[in-house]
Amino acid sequence: DRELYSPTPGQMDGDPGWIKKIRNFLGRSLLGVGPRIYDGRYGHPAAVVIVYSNEAKENQLGISASLLVEHGAVSEVIAGKMAEGAKERCGADLSIAVTGIAGPDGGNHQTPVGMVCFGLATSHATETGCFQFAGSRASIRARAVTYALDLLRRSLLLEIG
């Protein structure tokens, strides 16, 4: 666990505790199902946006109702739009979005329980991906958090590269 999130010495501008701060913050909240936005200080949350309903995705993140109908709330397109919307509306440098179905109910043949989609919006690009996680609700959520934290870690390492 420690190795997954620990950068090599000196990589974080003399602040080796920055990733621990992020991990502690996100781990306590289990990342929720919404974006986490970080400002240029790496590790200090600028804002936290948690949206569950499609209406909240429309109102708080600016996602169009037609996109939600066309792609579904749990999709790469929506995860990317969530991250972009949060980044733009909060004036952040980086945003991570997570949308999925942890179960035990709520899945269907198109979006089964365990399907989780991620979006990462930076000043350079937006990356998205969906994964199928197995296990209990707690296990699916924990795996999604681990993946999101690693996505964040890799993005920050590229930024300071």
Side-chain angles (χ1 to χ4, degrees):
D1 183 50
R2 178 174 225 109
E3 286 299 312
L4 179 63
Y5 307 119
S6 296
T8 59
Q11 282 184 306
M12 299 299 124
D13 296 329
D15 183 9
W18 71 273
I19 199 71
K20 184 178 179 188
K21 293 174 196 170
I22 294 171
R23 182 178 59 208
N24 287 343
F25 174 76
L26 295 178
R28 280 194 306 270
S29 68
L30 270 183
L31 211 68
V33 294
R36 296 292 186 264
I37 303 99
Y38 291 91
D39 64 17
R41 293 174 294 177
Y42 301 120
H44 301 280
V48 176
V49 181
I50 299 177
V51 294
Y52 287 93
S53 70
N54 285 351
E55 183 179 346
K57 289 176 178 74
E58 293 172 38
N59 295 335
Q60 294 180 31
L61 300 176
I63 299 171
S64 73
S66 62
L67 271 181
L68 286 160
V69 169
E70 181 180 350
H71 297 281
V74 180
S75 65
E76 282 190 60
V77 170
I78 297 304
K81 293 296 183 186
M82 287 172 65
E84 291 170 347
K87 180 182 168 298
E88 181 181 301
R89 288 176 181 235
C90 295
D93 297 322
L94 172 79
S95 175
I96 298 174
V98 180
T99 181
I101 301 176
D105 301 317
N108 60 44
H109 69 281
Q110 277 189 302
T111 52
V113 169
M115 183 174 176
V116 181
C117 297
F118 301 87
L120 171 70
T122 68
S123 57
H124 307 293
T126 299
E127 297 179 38
T128 62
C130 290
F131 299 93
Q132 181 67 45
F133 298 114
S136 67
R137 177 179 176 80
S139 175
I140 291 166
R141 291 185 73 188
R143 289 176 182 174
V145 168
T146 299
Y147 181 81
L149 287 169
D150 190 54
L151 186 64
L152 172 64
R153 178 190 65 86
R154 287 181 282 131
S155 176
L156 292 174
L157 288 173
L158 285 174
E159 285 290 317
I160 63 168

